[in-house]
Each structure stands twice: as structure tokens, then as C-alpha cells.
Amino acid sequence: MQATVQEQRFEPRIVAFFCNWCTYAAADLAGISRMKYAPNVKVVRVMCSGRVDPAFVLEAFRSGADGVLIGGCHPGDCHYKEGNYKAMRRFLLLSRVLEDFGIERGRFRLEWISASEAEKLRAAVNRMVEDVRKLGPLRWKVG
Amino acid sequence: MSPDERPRIGVYVCDCGFNILGTVDVPAVVEYSKTLEGVAVAREYRYMCSDPGQDLIKKDVKEMGLNRLVVAACSPWLHERTFRKTAADAGLNPFLFHMVNIREGVSWVTADKAAATEKAKVLVRAGVRRVALQEPLEPRREPVNPDVLVLGGGIAGIHAALTLANAGKRVTLVEREPSIGGNMARFDKTFPTLDCASCILTPKMTAVKDHPNITLYTYSEVVQVDGFVGNFEVTIERKPRYVREDLCIGCLKCIDECVYRDLRFPNAFDLGLGKRKPIYVPFPQAVPLKPVIDPHDCLYLKLGKCKLTCVEACEVDAIDFAMKPERVTVQVGAIIVATGFQPFDARRKPQYGYGVLPNVVTALEAERLLSPTGPTEGVPKLKDGTLPKTVGIIHCVGSRDENTNAYCSKVCCMYSLKLAHLVKERTGAEVYNFYIDMRTPGKGYEEFYKKLLEEGAKLVRGRVAEVTNAALSKGETGKLIIRVEDTLAGQVRRIPVDMVVLSVGMEPQADAREVRRRLNLSCGSEGFFTELHPKLAPVSTATDGVFIAGACQGPKDIPESVAQAGAAAAEALALVDRGTVEVQPYVAVVDEDLCSGCRICLGLCPYDAIEFEAEKKVARITEVKCKGCGVCVVGCPSTAIDQRHFRTSYLLEEVAGVLA
């Protein structure tokens, strides 16, 4: 391949699962507030972070994602009482499994972001993108 | 659509004026959409949500035989319902539609046009792949309980309750304090008309008491809220008054006969400035006019020993020391939250000497000092009992201040001017107002400001640095000295006064967080409850069936609180009068062939919606109870459970679409 004058910057592909009530609403608020953040994160809306199946995360990595971000309501604030605790349990377990697979911690994150925390959302997305950029491409894609 | 029919998808990309078009190359997204599998047509339109925009979609559905729709526009929070209805109007099942968020999620948050366009394409691609799998669903309808609960008995709660009761709805009004009336009951006069607050409030309070459709629970708190829109179950805890409301006739002889002859306990209604007995009514116009016994002050409740002269005095045997907290459960279809505000704690601005220097009071305390039923019978006096000759009113205490609250509390300029007028009227004192900016927008407000100027109110523009009693000259001895930079005169001034009034701002109630959790509301960064939409749904919340009114939503004055309360009542009425409500059909479903009967899901469900059917040895979901979180779907080891509209296959397809 021909070398370009400037090395092309690696743009990580990140899939986010945001719960409808808190983090998705925070993302809406970030939009309404015209906050700018990295376009690398693509959001899949779920009703609750407790709906995020570890299989979704594995499938995302398998299909070429460099990172996966889950956003839910703060502990105690879940719209469905305790779905976020279930999400946390699954997250912790899956993180360990992923580490064993050689997928670095920074590639898989869980953030509690309430509907009013647009700034937190912006910061979390940007931080994740920068961290994953440093880690480089995952290249876990099968086939 | 029969299952084997191939998807014919219409993709509609909205410009939203320049909101999307300004950052996203919409024609490019449209062209790209046309290349996606299953897409029969892709179009751009200026405002997709407008009538012509919707007609465009309907026409295509009919003429081109579309069986799936994707609209790439704003957030589904805003227009998902709109386009579902469009689909339904066109004869399509509303759940064969998917909304892609390219405004809040793309154009408004992305600086670079190429990157925004690329992101929009990716999201549309994922949406198209998802919608191709979606199946028709029937919306669930649930009956709506016609009764309404109003939480908070201030002016907003009172107005909302009366409006609904007058419309023939049964209303439960819950108030934490022993009387309704809220903060408005503390005021003497209201701006800008100088109406007597009691004269306009008391009739409304009495109307609440007398209304056959209103059940009033004072001295009570909502401790639990279960259920969902149209079908809430609310648990109320009634604190013991030790005076039976059902028996008491309000003669108040018990108060006269209490063994305490003098008033010695601080009255919370007077913010501790006035005193009361252990058995008391908070203020003369209290509703209900039934005494309360404070267990911390009452000799009998504290020590078990007393002559019980109150019991003797009561002709109807209403005093009952055995009363315990009681729980009441009510079923309602809608809830109006009108829990109000708390004044900023002036101790958080120690430079103003509140709580340390005598004769530094907050504005709410000043209201009590100016009230004819207050501790000084309407004539503000200094601690030594004399009249103040000069009074300084300091604006923006705990407002427009990076160290405390950055927001403007909106009402303080006007009430400060009102206090200035009243203090001058009652005491003849010279009154200074120290302000940053004079903010008096509102009907008759600017005129009131002018009137004050004509009355000779002294206005000094500048944020006060400190209030001190350290005198530097003979004229300052024994005075409170206000140090301020007069930014109009361009000099630092020291103004000696006898009394300082701190115009404290409005803050969310101390327990707003708990209320928020109980009702599943959200709060802004300041802690006030958040409305569903700041402009178009100002009294609705993200929780269907729960509405907000008054200062719990943000600082506001009486007319605004009343207007909002009316709006909340109308919204609640529109809901409960319908008889039925549409509930999202996103429930979990069990595939009995796959279910192994392990019962793991039973423990995961926060709503006890899953039962074990012993005969078939499978889990069964009660749809009415299921709220559609999907937690059980993930927990099922046999993948026997799935969630309607959020099926595992749809979500995996969406992920695949994002990463394709």
C-alpha cells in the first residue's frame, strides 16, 4: 500500500447500548445542548441496561467492534427497579471473561449516566474513544 | 403482511430545516439508503413530521405497497408516536416502523460534516436491517382509574386538586405539614398587586376542605408508589397527630388548657420566630383547623406524666395519645407532583452573617414579620423590640452565584421590591435594595418597579461583599454595616443599617431525590424535576401518568405555579377521562417448547410477572404485570424468553448493521 504523507488516524468503532430512560435521554440532552462529541460511538437503544445480553457484547466484538459501551441509570434509579444491578453483575462477570480472551478492560465499559448528565455522557464517550484509539484496532472479526 | 412476504422498506430522511441538513449531507444519506437491501424507496423532506411530510409517507405506503418504514429524523422520544400513527393511518401496523435518531444523536453532536454524514448512514443501515425483521404488534389497552392523587398542598397542589375535583374527579391530596397552604400561607401580601395572600388563599383552602370530591391527608407522606399509568397504587403514611381528626371539632380549647401556660416552643410555620405550645395549630387559618401534638414537646408523650388538662378540656374525646403512624393505600390513574421548593439556607453565605449577627433575617422570615398573624403582628421589629430606621435588602443570596446556585431564582427581585414597600409602609424605615440586575419581566411587574422608584426606594447596584458589625466610625456603632461596590457610582460603600433581609433563592426540597425515585422522575443538575419537553410538554414527565406543577419544577411565582397547576390538572384529566390507556406492548414472551422450567426468571422479575405453571412445567408471563425491561430475557439459560419489539434477533441485527 502506498504510504500517505500523514499516517491515517485510527478511528475506533464502538457500539453503545443505552437504556431508554437515563443514558439515551442524556444523549438526547447532549444533542439539545449542542454538545459535540466523537462520532465513533453508535447507539443501540434498549429499554433497560438489564436487557443487554452478554451475547450482544460478544457479537459486537466478533463483528468488528473495537469497544462496547453500556449506559444505564444510576444504582437505585432504574426505571425497572433493579435492571441496572443485573447489568452490573453481568458486566463484571463478562469483563473477566473478555480479559481472559485478551480483550483489554478499556474496550468494555459500563457507565451510569442519568437523564440530566449530558456532560457526563459527552465526557464518557470521548474518553472511551480516546482510550480505545490508544489500544488500537481489536481485529477480533471472525471470517 | 404474511411472514414470507419480502420487506419493501421506505426510508424517509428528514432535513429538519437546517437542524439536520446543516451538518448531514441528507441527499447522500438518501442515495445510500437506496442501495440497502429491502429498500424500495428513500426520500428527503424538509420537515418529515409536518402534514405534507407524513402524507408523503402515507402515499408511498399505499401506492408502492411498502410494508416497513424507517424515518431518520429526531429522537424517538419526540416523534416515534407521530410516525407510528402515520404508519397506522396508512394501514400499516405501527410497529413495522423504526425511528433512527440523526438529529440529537448525530447532527447536533457532531462538528464534522463528513463524519456526521457517515454516522447517519451507519445508523440508517442498522435501522433498515432491524426493521426488516420487525413483526406487527397490537398495542395493549389498559383501563384507567379515574381518580387522581395530588402530592403537595401548596398553592399549586391546591389549585390542581380543586380543578380536578370541580371536573367531577375524585382527588386525594397529600400534604406533609399539619395544614395545607404551603409557603403562600406565610406571605402577607403578594406582588405586584399587593393582594393580601391570606385573603386569596384561605377561600381556596376552605374549598379543598369542603369539597366532596377531595380527600385530604395532611401530616402525611407518600411512602410508596407502585403500578403504571392509569393504574397507580400509592401508599400514604399518616403521622400521628394525637388528635383524632374525625372527632375534633376545632374548638381549640385543648390548646388554651394545655399545662404549658406560655408559648415556649418554636413554631415551624413562623420559621421558629414565633412560639407555640406542644399542642398547636400552625396558623389561625390552618386547614384542617385541628390541633397537632408535637411528641418532642408534650410532657405526656415525652415523660408519660402530665395532668392531661387538654384531655379534660376536650368535649369530644378527640385526644388520643395511643395514635400510631397509619398507612393508607389509594388507587389512582394519574399523579400530580406539586411538592414545591425550599428556601436557600442563608448560612451557606457566611459573609452575610445569618445565624450569627442579630437582625439579619431571610426574606421568608421577613414575610412572617410582616404578617399580621406573625410573631410581630405585621410590624417588623429588631431583636430589642424597637423599630428599624434603615433596612438593607440583599438580592441574589444563593442565586446567580457560582459558589452556590448558578441559576436565577426569578422571583427574588419582585419579592424584594414588595418587601421594601411593606417595610417602609409599616415602619417608615429607609430601605435599600442591593441588586445585581433588576429582573422584573411579567404583567404589571415593571410598573411595580417604577412605583417603588417613585416611592423613593434606594437601589444600589452591586453584589454585597459582606455584612459586618465591626464599626469603623461613630455613625456605624451598633449598626450592621453592608459593604458593597456600588457599580453605578464606581465606588466601594459602607452603608450602616439596623436590619438586613437576605433575598434567598429557591432550591429543590431537601428530599426531592427520594420523591424522584419513588415516582421514577428525573431531575436537572440543580435538582428540580424535569419536564418531558421544556416547551411542548412542560408539565408531563418521562413517566406516563405523572405530572409536575409549581416550584418543584423550577423557581416560579404564584401566577406561574397556578397556571402550571391548571395545565397539570388538564393533562391529568385528559388521561383519566379517556377510560383506557395504550401501554407499550414490549412485553416478554416465553417459548414453551424451549422453556426447561428452571425458574431462574422468576427471581429476576422485579414485578412478580412470571409464574411457574406446574402442570406444563414452564414459566408463564402475566402480560399486565410485565413492564418490558427485558431482564428475564437475558437471564434465561434456554433462550426461551424474548421481548416483543426488542427481540434478541432485532438487536443483534442492529448491531450487525452498525458494524457491517
Side-chain angles (χ1 to χ4, degrees), chain B residues 531-552:
Chain B
E531 61 284 354
L532 185 61
H533 190 279
K535 293 171 190 73
L536 300 178
V539 297
S540 305
T541 67
T543 306
D544 279 347
V546 179
F547 306 93
I548 47 177
C552 65

Side-chain angles (χ1 to χ4, degrees), chain B residues 17-158:
Chain B
F18 285 108
N19 285 304
I20 294 171
L21 188 63
T23 324
V24 172
D25 183 349
V26 175
V29 176
V30 169
E31 285 313 307
Y32 175 73
S33 304
K34 288 179 183 166
T35 68
L36 297 168
E37 198 187 329
V39 174
V41 63
R43 289 188 202 275
E44 171 183 3
Y45 192 70
R46 197 173 298 135
Y47 293 104
M48 211 51 95
C49 59
S50 66
D51 271 353
Q54 292 188 54
D55 288 343
L56 189 75
I57 300 173
K58 288 181 213 169
K59 195 163 157 263
D60 281 356
V61 171
K62 285 180 184 147
E63 290 179 1
M64 307 181 74
L66 302 179
N67 55 25
R68 294 285 193 289
L69 296 173
V70 168
V71 174
C74 50
S75 166
W77 271 96
L78 202 59
H79 276 313
E80 191 175 57
R81 282 184 199 187
T82 311
F83 293 113
R84 276 198 182 144
K85 193 169 172 300
T86 312
D89 288 349
L92 207 60
N93 184 284
F95 295 91
L96 296 177
F97 151 76
H98 183 70
M99 186 139 189
V100 176
N101 181 351
I102 59 164
R103 193 179 74 173
E104 285 83 346
V106 180
S107 68
W108 279 351
V109 292
T110 313
D112 179 59
K113 191 162 178 174
T117 306
E118 186 51 36
K119 188 177 180 185
K121 284 182 187 172
V122 169
L123 293 177
V124 169
R125 180 173 71 211
V128 165
R129 289 183 63 162
R130 184 196 206 275
V131 85
L133 298 184
Q134 279 172 214
E135 293 151 331
L137 290 174
E138 285 315 311
R140 287 155 61 198
R141 296 205 78 86
E142 297 285 341
V144 172
N145 186 313
D147 300 352
V148 181
L149 179 101
V150 178
L151 184 52
I155 181 60
I158 289 173

Side-chain angles (χ1 to χ4, degrees), chain A residues 28 37 45 51 77 116, chain B residues 75 80 109 516-517 523 646:
Chain A
D28 270 8
Y37 57 80
R45 184 167 71 120
R51 176 68 184 93
D77 284 359
S116 60
Chain B
S75 166
E80 191 175 57
V109 292
R516 176 180 75 90
R517 283 191 177 175
C523 291
F646 286 88

Side-chain angles (χ1 to χ4, degrees), chain B residues 390-406:
Chain B
T390 43
V391 175
I393 300 178
I394 302 176
H395 292 215
C396 298
V397 179
S399 304
R400 305 185 70 200
D401 175 1
E402 295 297 330
N403 298 316
T404 55
N405 296 314

